Amino acid sequence: MRAFRFIIVGLALAAGSDAAAAADQSACLSQDERRAVIASHKAVPLGRAIKLVQAKIGGEVVKARLCRQERGLVYMLTVLGQSGKVSKVQVNAADGQWLDGS
């Protein structure tokens, strides 16, 4: 009976994390939306955000998304550092300024 409870709790947690990931993905722009936003100068080009990240922490950007958040458009970047450490970094897409990183 106890094992059954753990299975139920595990399934509930997994479903919740899938829903959170889906909600997070829905706030991110498609490729066509990204192009339109950058062309209308509402966001800096991704290359500018990548240069900022490389100057600040180094490493290689392995994933980049442009997402809508409460604070506006944000580049959400995943960076693989030279030491092998993976960092999550956010750059304000409107002005290309560093927001935070972990």
Side-chain angles (χ1 to χ4, degrees), residues 13-32:
L13 290 173
S17 65
D18 288 344
D24 181 48
Q25 290 291 342
S26 67
C28 294
L29 281 63
S30 69
Q31 186 174 11
D32 290 335

Side-chain angles (χ1 to χ4, degrees), residues 2-100:
R2 188 174 195 174
F4 181 72
R5 280 190 226 156
F6 285 124
I7 292 171
I8 296 298
V9 169
L11 289 173
L13 290 173
S17 65
D18 288 344
D24 181 48
Q25 290 291 342
S26 67
C28 294
L29 281 63
S30 69
Q31 186 174 11
D32 290 335
E33 291 171 321
R34 284 192 309 267
R35 284 188 189 128
V37 167
I38 292 168
S40 66
H41 303 288
K42 293 179 183 174
V44 299
L46 176 60
R48 183 170 164 190
I50 290 173
K51 284 181 184 177
L52 172 70
V53 170
Q54 289 176 334
K56 190 154 180 102
I57 64 172
E60 178 183 351
V61 174
V62 295
K63 184 175 181 181
R65 296 180 295 158
L66 179 57
C67 302
R68 287 187 179 92
Q69 294 187 343
E70 287 181 19
R71 56 183 154 189
L73 291 170
V74 174
Y75 280 113
M76 306 193 53
L77 307 168
T78 303
V79 182
L80 177 61
Q82 294 174 346
S83 66
K85 179 184 175 191
V86 175
S87 301
K88 302 287 185 175
V89 176
Q90 295 184 8
V91 174
N92 184 327
D95 61 10
Q97 297 297 309
W98 182 268
L99 291 174
D100 60 69

